[in-house]
Amino acid sequence: MDKRHKILIVDDTEMNRSLLSDMLGDEYEIAEAVNGLEAVQYLQKNENDIAIILLDIVMPVMDGFEVLAMMNKGKWIEHIPVIMISAETSSAYIDQAYDLGATDYISRPFDVKTVRRRVSNTIMLYAKQKMLQGMVTDQILEKEKNNYLMVEILSTIVEFRNGESGLHVMHIRIITEILLKALARRTEEYNLNSAAIALITNASALHDIGKISIAEEILNKPGKLTKEEFEVMKTHSAIGAEMLKSVPNHQNEGLVKVAYEICRWHHERYDGRGYPDGLKGEDIPIAAQVVSLADVYDALTSVRVYKPAYEHEKAMEMILHGECGAFNPVLLECLIEEGDHISKELKVRSLGGTMNNEMRNITSELLESGGITASDRTLNLLEQERIKYQFFASMSQEIQFEYNAETDMIMLSEWGANYLGTDEIALHPMDNPIIDEIIDHDALCEIQKNLRSATPAHPVVSGTYQLRIQGRERWCKLIARALWSDEEKCIYSGSIGKMIDIHEERLEMNMLKQAAAQDMLTSLYNHANAQKLISSMLKEDSDRRYGLILFDLDFFKNANDQHGHLFGDRVLKFVAKKILQNIRSEDIAARVGGDEFLIFAEYRDDFSYVVNRIFDSLADYYYNFKISISMGVAIYPKDGTTYEKLFQCADQALYSSKQEGRNQYKFYERSMEGCLSVISPMDNEIED
């Protein structure tokens, strides 16, 4: 029996490796590598045994493009064909792969017949060119013993982070690697050879593992942290270091040592004002210094729950101007030198893995087609993914969802479905009465429109909506990401997202807004808010007729002087209560300041009737203090068409009322123009 050809499958996602192995395992011998570096190491030892390589693009340690570059350098590309496998369909990636010597390009999700046919054809083509090699190449890269350890730790830790953490870890690795290479070119002070750079880059992925101990409400708080919350957040660096210190049997491993330094000291500052130990200058290990700068840059240029993403130029400006801490001057020079390179690399290399729904759809299609029989390994992996997905969805206490545009089906996380009191799957959500009971149709239409209008450059949409959750109206915040089957053509395929209950926060915010709009003593509107409301009404309803009444209490100073200021405050509250009892709900009443009040009301026939009724209602006694009122009235639009003009006219009419004896009201007349203002300089005389 002829020896079977060997295929090397290189992909950091075990599910993808398992699926390809199921497709090809009956005809070929399969070898696997979990990243580019492991693939290169395998090539160095087994290049004569490999018939073809199936190579992913986005991987840790070394990506697919770097593998192709190494294969060119080692001349392996001349006799070992490479088929690229990726979910990315952008021509830029495909062209780059071909430029580096790839033979073919297969996009995910995998089609069984396509994969088998292209592999078979490529092997046959290269069989004629393949030369027997009698020796293994003398050039061997230094084996990185710590790689599998890093992947093992990350696979456990990263699941505990928030939604953006996976991408954040990748960004930190990219930025750290670029800065380290730039630093190595500038100085030999830090002994940054290739092995050291790779080690620090790998360890950088563990910089925030201590955050798994931070409470969800602090970690993902959308607003600014309180002093107490920030102190809790700061503990993550020391906690992460202690976690690594507790790793059994690996304390002498270089990765653990470097990762400990990064975890504990990546929030130290070059000027000594960081935490947890206040290290200064070169007392901070260079690995921690570099990751600190990478962390700040990525935090500025990425969306966070508490801020939008800043453009690259703005982030650079903030860092270089010292707005984000103090850094090693040499590192800042490296950042300036490599800034544009970093920005470009983050866009090119920051591609996500297969989404949970894509993975499920791929596997379902393959099983239903009968093209392959899923191995126990694949089924076990699927079950593990399902359990992990359900566990972390329930722990987050968020209504997570996935929408498939092709099937017009929305899938809710188990916790989300239970919270809403509905099924996990709903067909045709736009016409589904169950969905209609949960969210208003207009709101659903708005969400759909925003997602379909999203672009690959701006794929995330958000908004605040009211949901009916088991009979209760609750405010929730939506964060969702559009997905495309073809990003270049913007062919919309669905979305993923979550709804976060912010009802209590919304109520508290409304209460704060209401408090800011009210006078603290009387609970009437304050002057500033009354002015805003009245100005808005005048602009919107120019055809209506309004009256503005401005009045104060005659001899109010007596109340304060004779009975004390607390008594005076009670008089003002009594007057405010009388005002509210004698105006309509749509009228505006405000305390202008001191003992001055304002009423703004619409009228139809004769405003003097309204004024007279209010004037009479306010004449009263509060215990033994007689309440006497002086009023000035201005009419819209006769006396003015703006709030400022109406207020000025009413103020002059009020002055005229007080000049002619008080305890009366007057409508503004032109003869009053030029009168002094009551509101500012004039004071009430003490009654004898």
Side-chain angles (χ1 to χ4, degrees), residues 533-582:
L533 292 172
I534 295 170
S535 297
S536 177
M537 292 173 66
L538 294 178
K539 288 179 181 179
E540 293 177 0
D541 300 310
S542 58
D543 295 334
R544 297 187 178 185
R545 292 188 291 179
Y546 297 101
L548 189 148
I549 303 171
L550 195 61
F551 66 91
D552 68 4
L553 279 63
D554 299 328
F555 312 112
F556 179 68
K557 195 169 186 295
N558 290 344
N560 286 328
D561 291 348
Q562 297 174 9
H563 303 284
H565 286 281
L566 290 178
F567 179 83
D569 287 348
R570 290 197 292 270
V571 171
L572 294 176
K573 293 170 71 174
F574 177 77
V575 171
K577 183 177 180 181
K578 298 277 288 184
I579 292 172
L580 293 176
Q581 290 172 347
N582 288 277

Side-chain angles (χ1 to χ4, degrees), residues 459-521:
V460 178
V461 302
S462 61
T464 303
Y465 301 93
Q466 263 195 320
L467 301 187
R468 285 177 289 276
I469 301 174
Q470 301 188 32
R472 299 173 299 156
E473 297 282 350
R474 305 282 296 180
W475 285 103
C476 293
K477 181 179 180 181
L478 166 76
I479 303 174
R481 188 193 193 283
L483 304 173
W484 298 272
S485 57
D486 188 329
E487 285 197 5
E488 287 191 345
K489 297 179 180 179
C490 284
I491 300 176
Y492 179 73
S493 63
S495 60
I496 57 173
K498 60 184 180 181
M499 282 279 195
I500 307 167
D501 192 318
I502 59 168
H503 191 72
E504 278 71 26
E505 298 166 22
R506 175 91 175 205
L507 291 180
E508 184 177 351
M509 183 62 68
N510 289 340
M511 290 175 63
L512 290 173
K513 288 181 178 178
Q514 185 177 0
Q518 288 181 333
D519 173 63
M520 296 296 290
L521 178 63

Side-chain angles (χ1 to χ4, degrees), residues 21-304:
S21 179
D22 287 345
M23 294 178 190
L24 301 166
D26 57 343
E27 296 183 35
Y28 304 96
E29 183 181 346
I30 304 297
E32 298 181 12
V34 301
N35 57 60
L37 181 59
E38 190 173 308
V40 170
Q41 292 170 341
Y42 189 90
L43 272 168
Q44 290 171 334
K45 295 181 179 181
N46 304 280
E47 64 170 297
N48 294 318
D49 298 331
I50 300 173
I52 192 170
I53 297 175
L54 302 184
L55 181 62
D56 188 19
I57 293 179
V58 182
M59 296 179 292
V61 184
M62 181 184 290
D63 64 25
F65 294 137
E66 292 172 305
V67 172
L68 286 173
M70 292 298 297
M71 291 184 69
N72 277 277
K73 184 177 180 180
K75 307 296 184 181
W76 299 322
I77 199 72
E78 296 177 1
H79 59 276
I80 301 177
V82 177
I83 297 179
M84 303 302 291
I85 51 175
S86 176
E88 177 56 50
T89 58
S90 170
S91 61
Y93 298 103
I94 298 174
D95 291 345
Q96 185 175 357
Y98 283 134
D99 289 343
L100 288 170
T103 305
D104 207 343
Y105 196 103
I106 301 175
S107 62
R108 292 197 295 264
F110 306 125
D111 176 76
V112 180
K113 292 182 180 179
T114 299
V115 171
R116 286 175 172 171
R117 182 171 61 251
R118 291 189 180 182
V119 167
S120 175
N121 291 344
T122 302
I123 289 176
M124 291 176 62
L125 178 65
Y126 267 72
K128 298 179 181 179
Q129 303 174 4
K130 192 161 185 173
M131 300 171 59
L132 296 176
Q133 298 291 336
M135 64 178 65
V136 177
T137 179
D138 294 329
Q139 182 184 11
I140 300 177
L141 297 177
E142 181 178 356
K143 188 174 182 180
E144 192 165 334
K145 301 177 182 178
N146 303 306
N147 176 62
Y148 187 79
L149 173 64
M150 182 208 71
V151 175
E152 186 177 38
I153 296 173
L154 271 182
S155 66
T156 303
I157 298 300
V158 79
E159 295 291 341
F160 288 89
R161 304 290 307 285
N162 58 24
E164 65 236 7
S165 61
L167 197 56
H168 176 61
V169 167
M170 185 179 294
H171 285 180
I172 294 300
R173 289 194 67 262
I174 293 169
I175 301 168
T176 297
E177 181 182 28
I178 293 173
L179 289 176
L180 286 170
K181 289 179 178 179
L183 189 61
R185 291 193 298 268
R186 281 182 171 269
T187 176
E188 296 179 359
E189 179 181 355
Y190 303 107
N191 298 318
L192 294 174
N193 55 30
S194 298
I197 290 174
L199 186 64
I200 296 172
T201 300
N202 295 345
S204 70
L206 304 175
H207 70 288
D208 269 343
I209 60 172
K211 284 187 176 179
I212 66 170
S213 68
I214 305 301
E216 180 77 10
E217 59 269 19
I218 295 178
L219 189 63
N220 289 321
K221 183 177 180 180
K224 184 178 180 180
L225 297 179
T226 64
K227 182 179 180 180
E228 293 75 17
E229 289 171 338
F230 185 59
E231 289 300 318
V232 173
M233 179 67 83
K234 287 166 61 176
T235 62
H236 79 273
S237 55
I239 291 173
E242 287 303 310
M243 289 171 59
L244 288 169
K245 195 173 181 180
S246 302
V247 174
N249 305 322
H250 292 291
Q251 287 304 302
N252 293 325
E253 295 286 350
L255 177 68
V256 175
K257 292 180 179 179
V258 175
Y260 176 92
E261 295 177 349
I262 292 172
C263 277
R264 185 169 185 89
W265 295 310
H266 73 281
H267 281 294
E268 300 288 356
R269 289 172 44 144
Y270 206 69
D271 58 4
R273 297 171 61 188
Y275 64 86
D277 301 315
L279 299 186
K280 184 177 182 180
E282 294 306 316
D283 289 338
I284 308 170
I286 191 60
Q289 291 188 48
V290 175
V291 173
S292 175
L293 184 54
D295 195 23
V296 167
Y297 177 88
D298 185 58
L300 290 173
T301 56
S302 301
V303 175
R304 294 290 185 265

Side-chain angles (χ1 to χ4, degrees), residues 296-345:
V296 167
Y297 177 88
D298 185 58
L300 290 173
T301 56
S302 301
V303 175
R304 294 290 185 265
V305 292
Y306 53 86
K307 59 168 280 297
Y310 292 118
E311 295 295 331
H312 164 73
E313 293 75 15
K314 178 63 176 178
M316 292 288 289
E317 177 185 337
M318 294 173 70
I319 293 172
L320 297 176
H321 287 180
E323 297 178 41
C324 306
F327 300 96
N328 187 329
V330 180
L331 269 182
L332 291 179
E333 292 175 5
C334 294
L335 180 65
I336 294 171
E337 175 187 337
E338 297 294 331
D340 292 336
H341 181 205
I342 288 171
S343 180
K344 179 181 178 182
E345 285 298 299

